Amino acid sequence: MIRNFFITAYRNLLKNKGYSLLNIIGLSAGLTCFAFIALWVKDEWSYDQFNKKADRIFRVSATIITQAETFQHACSPVPMAAAFRKDFPEVENTVRFDKSDAIVKRDDVQFTEEDILATDPAFFDVFSYDLLRGNTKTALTAPFSIILTESLAKKYFGREDPLGKNLTLFLYDTSGRGQLYTVTGLIADPPKNAHFSFNCLLSFSSLETYEPSSITADGWDNNSYYTYLLLKDKNDAAKIQPRLADFRKRNDPSAHHHEGNKTEHFLQPLGSIHLHSNLRYEIAPTGNVKNLYIFITVGLFILLIAAINYMNLATARSLGRAREVGVKKVLGASKKQLVGQHLTEAILVAAISFVLSLVLSVALKPVFTQLTGKDISILSSSSLLLFLALVTLAIGLIAGIYPAFFITAYKAAEVLKGSLKSKSGGVLLRRGLVVFQFAIAIVLIAGILVINSQLRYIRHKDLGFDKDALIALKVNGNSDVIAGYTAFKNDLLQSSSIKGAAVSNSLIVGTLGNSGARTVDGQGNKLQTGTYRLIIDPDYLGVYDMKMVTGRNFYQDDMNDTLSYIVNEAAVKKFGWTDNEDALNKPFEMAGRNGRVIGVVKNFHFQTLQHPIDPLVLVLKRRTFSQITLKTDMSDPQQTIATINSTWKKHFPGALLEYAFLDKKLQEQYLAEERFSRFFLYFSFLALLIACLGLLGLAAYATQQRVKEIGVRKVLGASMSNITAMLSRDFLKLVIIAILVATPLAWYIMNKWLEDFAYRVSIGWWVFAAAGIVALLIALFTVSFQAIKAAIANPVKSLRTE
């Protein structure tokens, strides 16, 4: 019997190709979308969970309370690890990190490598990494030891055995000539789902060798590192936290000198860092749990819409087969057989959709990887495959219930006479589903408009400086570049394509360094606080086209100005000074250098637009710097780059030239938002498409129910436009109700998303008006297609038989 069910189901699918195709495409598209979203969400939730001791690992972070501000950061000083082992018996082990970029060189081959991680030998005890070659106990013990990932080893050594060989790293050493590091281990490329990444591991003792003060009492003043604790029991964190109140005072000899300032440490569980931490100086960009919840909701909505559509289309089709059921009942078919037949057909179509969704998921994996940056496949997640299979089976069963139990329950005479009517409860349910589907669609359309508006705002926001035509060159600590910069600059400025040159200790991309500062407020009271710091030369403001509000710029070649400071407008406000003029000649001390404020620069964005403009101090460089910025004429970019390249090689033949366009570097800060926008756009479009398929099914259902009414109206003189309007009116009313339901929901959700931005667009009424109009037009087009088809049909065919 089951075999006959499948044969009959197969024949019905072929007989009704259009219906079958519509049903299969809708459900498979929904399953595929949900699969990709589930993969992304699952990967985000899985960060750091591969560590076997993850529940016992905590990062030490801090809340800094100054007289001017309060903020949190993820960093800590070098001596902190030893202090924790000494003060807290609950601590089993500690690990320190220092993350850097540096030039790595072997013979004449050199590259700038990112994600170089200096760490302790305990790294392998705390985190679940193991060596392919080498000894985990000793590989990071001696200074100037390095462990390479497989990718980096292949890059520099090819098929050679790297162990025991040397690489030169331009890192930590003050000579600018580089230091030889010995390869002591080989490690597999690290998992991507970790909140920190690395291309190689260096022994932390290398840093301590170059900076011996970092492990002394003076090291407590340098919060540039990361400290992780492995606790003996995961519940020990709750016991340690209350005892951290005076931890810094007990161990930091200079803590009592920081008048009015307070540092409160707290422990962050390893598993919460990626999604729930957004502190200053994170070791790497973190995720956004709000985006995760948004996509979970979108994924569930898409799956629900697809399931509803499948059920609606099955219901619409069942009415057309009512007479088939009546004939079979007259010929002696039992209710059990009829129920089995309809359930089999529904499950078969659902199964085909499931298989097609797997094919689409595999075929579209490269697109998904490019879109999200995640190289993961549905075939690698057995739990997700099982879930999708069960969902598909459930959808098939539910979709088959209506024709299987309700249509077969009607008397054969009623069905064959054409008196089959839909129950009022079923009508209300289907209308409710239309409202639900289009409410979701309108929320998604509004979301697309708001997200794109915010990203457009970011691209065109005045940052307070001219970011166009600026090219940044990395110095990488090379002493030849630092010593020969003046000659290099003068040579470059002879070219018409180079308009200016300046140096600094950092690019204004991301976050600058922070230092303690002492000054007085507007009433002359002593003020001790922390502030961002940017070290520049006198050409910097001109190259970046930054505006002085009052006071003056640094003098050229005047070393006395190393005791002068320029502050931004945010600092004037935060330090309690009356106005910009009041800031001039205020006493100011930073890093032991007592001086005075000589000018106020107009606010400019040196962080992403998620953050407000914080107080910033500009300091004149003394000797070293790490970045060169060139203001260029980009009318001929290739010639400009060629000029820079040839001049660099002329002055620094042994130095690696690494350049970047500043506007592109600034845009890269919003890569996560750009990916989120594209991800949201694509899946919103698919959700809308799937909703339209469901509306098409309901329109077909309604049209079939009113086919004789349409025929009568046409005979009595109704025009095609009258009939089309009659059939469309009811559905458009439902879409209008959906607009009213969706508007406050969309406003709430998008306001929540925009909360992450200190500078953001306002959500105007036009967003919801546009979303509603788009939904109405789509619904009108979808319904009109079916309505026009019914309106142009020959009424004789519908009225011929009773």
Side-chain angles (χ1 to χ4, degrees):
M1 182 181 292
I2 294 177
R3 180 172 175 271
N4 288 332
F5 286 165
F6 277 102
I7 292 173
T8 305
Y10 174 71
R11 288 172 179 170
N12 277 318
L13 289 180
L14 293 181
K15 181 181 177 182
N16 303 283
K17 294 185 181 68
Y19 156 77
S20 302
L21 192 62
L22 195 66
N23 228 345
I24 290 170
I25 289 174
L27 184 55
S28 61
L31 291 171
T32 303
C33 291
F34 180 81
F36 279 135
I37 291 175
L39 278 174
W40 184 78
V41 169
K42 183 180 178 184
D43 185 73
E44 288 289 299
W45 279 121
S46 72
Y47 265 62
D48 297 307
Q49 296 306 311
F50 63 88
N51 290 289
K52 297 175 182 177
K53 304 172 185 176
D55 61 337
R56 294 196 285 132
I57 302 173
F58 293 81
R59 184 175 70 183
V60 183
S61 299
T63 300
I64 309 299
I65 304 169
T66 73
Q67 292 170 301
E69 65 174 340
T70 298
F71 63 91
Q72 293 181 321
H73 66 61
C75 302
S76 52
V78 169
M80 182 170 284
F84 263 99
R85 291 195 301 271
K86 174 176 68 71
D87 282 16
F88 300 102
E90 296 90 347
V91 175
E92 181 177 314
N93 217 330
T94 59
V95 169
R96 298 166 298 177
F97 286 165
D98 180 44
K99 193 174 182 181
S100 308
D101 301 341
I103 290 179
V104 178
K105 181 179 179 182
R106 187 194 182 203
D107 300 329
D108 295 329
V109 178
Q110 58 179 330
F111 297 96
T112 297
E113 300 295 348
E114 298 179 344
D115 299 335
I116 296 175
L117 196 67
T119 188
D120 295 302
F123 175 82
F124 296 103
D125 178 49
V126 175
F127 298 98
S128 297
Y129 296 88
D130 205 358
L131 292 181
L132 301 174
R133 301 279 308 281
N135 189 324
T136 56
K137 301 296 183 185
T138 59
L140 291 174
T141 302
F144 314 121
S145 300
I146 183 171
I147 297 172
L148 303 180
T149 59
E150 287 183 292
S151 296
L152 206 64
K154 185 177 181 180
K155 183 176 182 179
Y156 287 95
F157 296 99
R159 296 184 178 180
E160 295 180 52
D161 181 2
L163 263 65
K165 294 185 170 60
N166 295 324
L167 288 171
T168 301
L169 272 71
F170 293 81
L171 181 66
Y172 300 138
D173 67 300
T174 55
S175 69
R177 303 295 178 184
Q179 171 67 47
L180 282 178
Y181 282 73
T182 302
V183 179
T184 56
L186 184 66
I187 193 171
D189 291 344
K192 299 293 184 183
N193 58 338
H195 80 281
F196 64 87
S197 59
F198 58 88
N199 283 319
C200 60
L201 300 173
L202 307 183
S203 53
F204 203 89
S205 56
S206 308
L207 180 151
E208 294 172 334
T209 300
Y210 273 115
E211 300 179 22
S213 62
S214 65
I215 57 177
T216 65
D218 293 337
W220 283 96
D221 290 330
N222 187 357
N223 290 287
S224 300
Y225 310 95
Y226 302 90
T227 303
Y228 293 80
L229 311 178
L230 175 64
L231 304 185
K232 294 177 180 178
D233 187 279
K234 64 181 180 180
N235 298 316
D236 287 339
K239 301 175 184 177
I240 292 175
Q241 188 64 54
R243 293 149 58 195
L244 291 178
D246 61 347
F247 169 75
R248 191 68 177 247
K249 291 181 181 178
R250 290 198 308 270
N251 292 279
D252 182 359
S254 63
H256 64 281
H257 295 305
H258 302 302
E259 301 171 8
N261 290 358
K262 188 177 181 182
T263 300
E264 297 178 349
H265 294 287
F266 60 94
L267 304 185
Q268 288 183 284
L270 180 68
S272 71
I273 293 175
H274 177 65
L275 289 177
H276 300 280
S277 180
N278 188 23
L279 311 184
R280 285 187 185 180
Y281 309 115
E282 290 284 355
I283 194 170
T286 55
N288 187 326
V289 74
K290 288 183 182 178
N291 290 349
L292 206 63
Y293 289 138
I294 288 173
F295 275 123
I296 289 171
T297 305
V298 170
L300 290 174
F301 279 166
I302 287 177
L303 188 62
L304 191 56
I305 288 173
I308 290 169
N309 288 350
Y310 183 75
M311 296 169 197
N312 283 341
L313 287 168
T315 300
R317 179 59 192 156
S318 68
L319 186 65
R321 296 181 62 188
R323 285 189 175 85
E324 174 193 334
V325 173
V327 171
K328 287 183 175 179
K329 292 188 77 171
V330 170
L331 295 175
S334 66
K335 185 174 181 179
K336 180 180 178 182
Q337 290 173 320
L338 293 172
V339 168
Q341 180 62 54
H342 284 282
L343 286 175
T344 301
E345 288 185 24
I347 293 172
L348 178 61
V349 174
I352 294 172
S353 301
F354 173 71
V355 173
L356 181 59
S357 73
L358 294 184
V359 173
L360 289 172
S361 298
V362 173
L364 296 175
K365 179 181 174 294
V367 178
F368 174 76
T369 300
Q370 184 180 15
L371 186 63
T372 63
K374 296 182 183 296
D375 188 16
I376 47 182
S377 170
I378 188 174
L379 299 180
S380 62
S381 178
S382 57
S383 58
L384 179 57
L385 283 172
L386 178 61
F387 177 78
L388 287 176
L390 293 174
V391 167
T392 304
L393 178 62
I395 291 172
L397 286 171
I398 295 170
I401 284 175
Y402 180 84
F405 290 99
F406 291 92
I407 298 293
T408 58
Y410 283 102
K411 295 179 180 179
E414 291 178 353
V415 174
L416 294 174
K417 285 168 61 179
S419 58
L420 183 64
K421 298 295 180 184
S422 180
K423 302 270 176 67
S424 60
V427 173
L428 289 175
L429 176 62
R430 285 188 289 275
R431 288 178 177 177
L433 293 177
V434 170
V435 172
F436 175 77
Q437 287 177 309
F438 270 85
I440 294 171
I442 292 163
V443 169
L444 295 177
I445 294 169
I448 291 169
L449 295 174
V450 172
I451 292 169
N452 285 337
S453 294
Q454 178 64 22
L455 292 178
R456 195 180 308 111
Y457 173 80
I458 289 171
R459 295 187 196 104
H460 300 291
K461 174 81 167 64
D462 180 11
L463 299 179
F465 60 90
D466 184 7
K467 66 180 184 299
D468 299 320
L470 294 181
I471 299 178
L473 314 180
K474 288 187 72 172
V475 176
N476 291 308
N478 191 296
S479 57
D480 293 337
V481 176
I482 294 171
Y485 165 70
T486 301
F488 170 70
K489 179 183 75 170
N490 293 335
D491 203 350
L492 270 180
L493 292 177
Q494 301 302 312
S495 171
S496 60
S497 61
I498 308 299
K499 303 301 182 184
V503 300
S504 60
N505 72 319
S506 178
L507 279 183
I508 47 177
V509 176
T511 302
L512 301 177
N514 198 289
S515 272
R518 297 171 186 264
T519 182
V520 294
D521 62 18
Q523 286 71 46
N525 300 315
K526 289 183 178 181
L527 179 70
Q528 183 169 316
T529 184
T531 181
Y532 287 103
R533 180 193 71 240
L534 180 62
I535 301 173
I536 62 172
D537 68 355
D539 298 317
Y540 192 88
L541 298 183
V543 166
Y544 279 80
D545 196 23
M546 294 174 177
K547 310 299 182 186
M548 291 293 297
V549 177
T550 189
R552 65 173 177 86
N553 189 9
F554 298 116
Y555 290 135
Q556 292 280 359
D557 303 320
D558 187 349
M559 292 308 296
N560 290 327
D561 257 354
T562 57
L563 298 179
S564 300
Y565 298 93
I566 298 173
V567 299
N568 67 351
E569 294 172 297
V572 173
K573 184 177 180 180
K574 186 71 74 172
F575 296 160
W577 297 333
T578 307
D579 52 31
N580 295 326
E581 295 293 334
D582 185 39
L584 298 181
N585 293 315
K586 280 286 191 295
F588 203 88
E589 178 194 343
M590 180 176 282
R593 295 160 63 187
N594 287 291
R596 292 192 174 271
V597 176
I598 62 168
V600 178
V601 67
K602 187 176 179 63
N603 277 341
F604 61 89
H605 290 273
F606 55 91
Q607 302 179 90
T608 64
L609 296 182
Q610 279 98 335
H611 305 279
I613 297 177
D614 287 310
L616 173 69
V617 176
L618 304 180
V619 184
L620 182 65
K621 80 167 184 71
R622 296 187 192 181
R623 293 176 295 275
T624 63
F625 50 89
S626 60
Q627 298 286 342
I628 300 171
T629 304
L630 303 178
K631 190 176 184 66
T632 65
D633 176 6
M634 296 304 289
S635 56
D636 188 354
Q638 291 184 340
Q639 180 58 45
T640 300
I641 297 300
T643 299
I644 296 171
N645 190 45
S646 61
T647 309
W648 182 275
K649 287 183 177 179
K650 172 184 172 183
H651 289 270
F652 319 119
L656 177 68
L657 173 61
E658 185 182 6
Y659 66 88
F661 293 94
L662 189 69
D663 57 346
K664 291 185 178 178
K665 294 284 287 184
L666 289 167
Q667 196 58 41
E668 286 172 3
Q669 296 180 110
Y670 303 100
L671 180 60
E673 285 74 20
E674 292 282 358
R675 282 178 172 170
F676 174 78
S677 174
R678 291 197 300 270
F679 208 46
F680 193 86
L681 174 63
Y682 295 158
F683 286 107
S684 296
F685 173 77
L686 287 170
L688 193 59
L689 179 63
I690 295 167
C692 288
L693 292 176
L695 191 61
L696 184 65
L698 284 179
Y701 181 90
T703 303
Q704 285 180 2
Q705 282 196 314
R706 303 176 72 175
V707 66
K708 284 187 170 59
E709 178 190 345
I710 294 168
V712 170
R713 288 179 179 272
K714 288 198 70 174
V715 169
L716 294 176
S719 65
M720 184 178 74
S721 59
N722 294 144
I723 293 172
T724 302
M726 176 193 72
L727 293 172
S728 303
R729 190 179 301 117
D730 289 343
F731 287 103
L732 294 183
K733 288 179 182 177
L734 298 178
V735 176
I736 291 172
I737 295 172
I739 293 172
L740 298 176
V741 172
T743 297
L745 182 61
W747 182 87
Y748 175 79
I749 292 172
M750 295 322 300
N751 261 298
K752 278 292 183 182
W753 184 76
L754 286 171
E755 283 179 357
D756 288 336
F757 295 89
Y759 301 88
R760 62 184 195 173
V761 296
S762 58
I763 305 178
W765 63 267
W766 68 268
V767 171
F768 309 107
I773 291 170
V774 170
L776 278 171
L777 290 175
I778 291 173
L780 182 62
F781 175 80
T782 305
V783 175
S784 295
F785 171 78
Q786 195 68 37
I788 292 171
K789 181 180 175 182
I792 62 177
N794 188 347
V796 175
K797 291 183 179 179
S798 58
L799 298 173
R800 180 182 298 160
T801 58
E802 181 61 37

